[in-house]
Amino acid sequence: MVILDACRTPITRAKRGGLAQTCADDLIAAVLQAAVVRSKVNVHDIGDIVVGSVLGNSSQRANEVRIGGFLA
């Protein structure tokens, strides 16, 4: 197991900030794209993606992460 990179979304006010209307999967896609660009890794070499989140329904968060991975 290798940790490739660590990225995060910008910090804004929860549910009232500048990203309040942005879908979570779009935010995740942007973070994953940035991690790939910064690390210069071949995307075909990536086996697993680990994403942490403090907001949202936990059952729905897994789907959003999966969609974000596809979008990235």
Side-chain angles (χ1 to χ4, degrees), residues 7-40:
C7 294
R8 65 158 297 129
T9 57
I11 298 172
T12 65
R13 297 184 69 121
K15 300 182 182 183
R16 293 175 281 156
L19 299 172
Q21 301 301 316
T22 306
C23 296
D25 46 1
D26 290 334
L27 291 173
I28 293 166
V31 168
L32 295 177
Q33 288 170 349
V36 169
V37 168
R38 288 174 16 171
S39 66
K40 299 181 177 93

Side-chain angles (χ1 to χ4, degrees), residues 8 10 12 15 19 29 31 33 45 47 58 61 63 67 70-71:
R8 65 158 297 129
T12 65
K15 300 182 182 183
L19 299 172
V31 168
Q33 288 170 349
D45 293 336
S58 60
R61 191 60 64 199
N63 290 332
I67 293 167
F70 287 134
L71 292 174

